[in-house]
């Protein structure tokens, strides 16, 4: 592996940042100051920055309780980015797994593992469960319509909720197995209601850790990563304990 990739992977910093360290003579490989970003690093080499040994990290998987007013962009530079909930160094290459609207709160997954991101967001793989607050009381007709399928403007395929459970006279728990643009808001508008609050409770079999305050985050355990992919508990246990 190239030295600059090793430095990015072990610190989470960008390639341009790590190159400034190399130019400044702050990086050593096996005790010798490194001068070239493309210098190869082999297994067993010891790479240090300012004398501190750097260890290559594996991919990262986090959950964050997305606060209202944050956006799912890939750039920390946007002051509204939800990535700013995570310290820059830790989150430099993280991406949001799917998108939530600026006013939607709750479970958002972040990862720098593109393949896992794809598996979790793929339609039909991991169901997503939302608590929905409505402007007006729901009716049986609305619930039937959501479960049999709603025609969204400009779309050929009906949008169908996998499950709709009343939580109160003007609140619902809605389960989807896909994530179209503003899907819940558009579905509720199509049946004659309006969403005034939206909170994601779970992705696959992974629920938001309710000890996380809005804006707080934590790493996922291996079994939680598997639950988010929508695999059943036996498959998750087998993956985290392969013998
Ligand atoms: N549906 C929406 O309308 N918005 C979201 O953020 C998620 C699902």
């Amino acid at each position: 592996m190239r030295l600059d990739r090793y430095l990015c992977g072990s610190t989470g910093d960008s390639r341009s940042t790590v190159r400034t360290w190399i130019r400044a003579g702050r990086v050593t490989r096996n005790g010798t100051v490194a001068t070239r970003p493309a210098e190869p690093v082999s297994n067993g080499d010891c790479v240090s920055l300012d004398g501190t040994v750097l260890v290559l990290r594996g991919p990262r998987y986090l959950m964050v309780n997305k606060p209202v007013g944050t956006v799912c962009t890939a750039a920390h530079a946007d002051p509204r980015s939800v990535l700013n909930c995570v310290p820059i160094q830790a989150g430099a290459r993280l991406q949001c797994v799917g998108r939530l609207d600026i006013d939607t709160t709750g479970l958002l997954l972040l990862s720098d593992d593109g393949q896992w991101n794809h598996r979790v967001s793929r339609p039909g793989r991991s169901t997503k469960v939302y608590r929905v607050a409505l402007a007006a009381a729901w009716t049986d007709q609305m619930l039937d319509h959501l479960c049999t399928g709603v025609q969204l403007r400009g779309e050929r395929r009906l949008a169908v909720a996998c499950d709709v459970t009343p939580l109160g006279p003007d609140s619902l728990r809605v389960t989807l197995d896909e994530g179209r643009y503003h899907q819940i808001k558009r579905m509720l508008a199509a049946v004659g209601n309006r969403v005034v609050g939206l909170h994601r409770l779970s992705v696959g079999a992974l629920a938001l850790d309710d000890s996380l305050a809005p804006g707080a985050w934590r790493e996922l355990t291996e079994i939680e990563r598997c639950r988010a992919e929508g695999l059943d508990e036996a498959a998750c246990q087998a993956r985290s304990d392969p013998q």
Side-chain angles (χ1 to χ4, degrees), residues 203-221:
V203 172
L206 176 63
L208 176 65
D209 178 340
D210 54 19
S211 71
L212 293 178
W217 62 277
R218 71 164 173 78
E219 306 268 353
L220 299 185
T221 62

Side-chain angles (χ1 to χ4, degrees), residues 113-127:
D113 176 347
Q115 290 184 355
W116 183 77
N117 186 334
H118 178 69
R119 287 200 298 277
V120 174
S121 359
R122 203 163 55 193
R125 182 73 184 253
S126 299
T127 53

Side-chain angles (χ1 to χ4, degrees), residues 130-156:
Y130 297 85
R131 191 175 63 223
V132 185
L134 299 171
W138 53 267
T139 62
D140 287 337
Q141 201 184 11
M142 284 177 192
L143 304 196
D144 285 349
H145 199 169
L146 293 170
C147 293
T148 51
V150 173
Q151 185 67 61
L152 298 177
R153 193 191 301 244
E155 298 200 5
R156 285 226 309 265

Side-chain angles (χ1 to χ4, degrees), residues 33-192:
V33 173
T35 52
R36 287 185 306 117
E39 193 166 318
V41 177
S42 309
N43 279 345
D45 280 356
C46 177
V47 176
S48 303
L49 172 66
D50 298 332
T52 302
V53 174
L54 299 177
V55 178
L56 201 57
R57 280 194 323 227
R60 309 198 65 212
Y61 306 89
L62 313 178
M63 72 161 76
V64 59
N65 184 356
K66 179 185 175 296
V68 75
T70 53
V71 292
C72 295
T73 57
H76 274 284
D78 182 338
R80 299 171 311 163
S81 172
V82 68
L83 295 179
N84 292 319
C85 294
V86 178
I88 292 272
Q89 172 105 349
R93 286 173 333 138
L94 291 173
Q95 295 203 328
C96 298
V97 181
R99 281 174 179 266
L100 293 176
D101 297 337
I102 188 167
D103 50 357
T104 301
T105 57
L107 178 59
L108 179 71
L109 301 173
L110 306 177
S111 177
D112 51 10
D113 176 347
Q115 290 184 355
W116 183 77
N117 186 334
H118 178 69
R119 287 200 298 277
V120 174
S121 359
R122 203 163 55 193
R125 182 73 184 253
S126 299
T127 53
K128 279 92 185 166
V129 182
Y130 297 85
R131 191 175 63 223
V132 185
L134 299 171
W138 53 267
T139 62
D140 287 337
Q141 201 184 11
M142 284 177 192
L143 304 196
D144 285 349
H145 199 169
L146 293 170
C147 293
T148 51
V150 173
Q151 185 67 61
L152 298 177
R153 193 191 301 244
E155 298 200 5
R156 285 226 309 265
R157 252 184 335 109
L158 293 181
V160 184
C162 306
D163 182 65
V164 180
T165 305
L167 298 174
D170 52 9
S171 66
L172 299 172
R173 194 177 61 216
V174 176
T175 305
L176 299 180
D177 69 354
E178 56 177 352
R180 301 191 214 175
Y181 178 68
H182 293 328
Q183 185 163 346
I184 293 195
K185 291 176 185 160
R186 291 164 69 212
M187 287 176 77
L188 267 300
V191 300

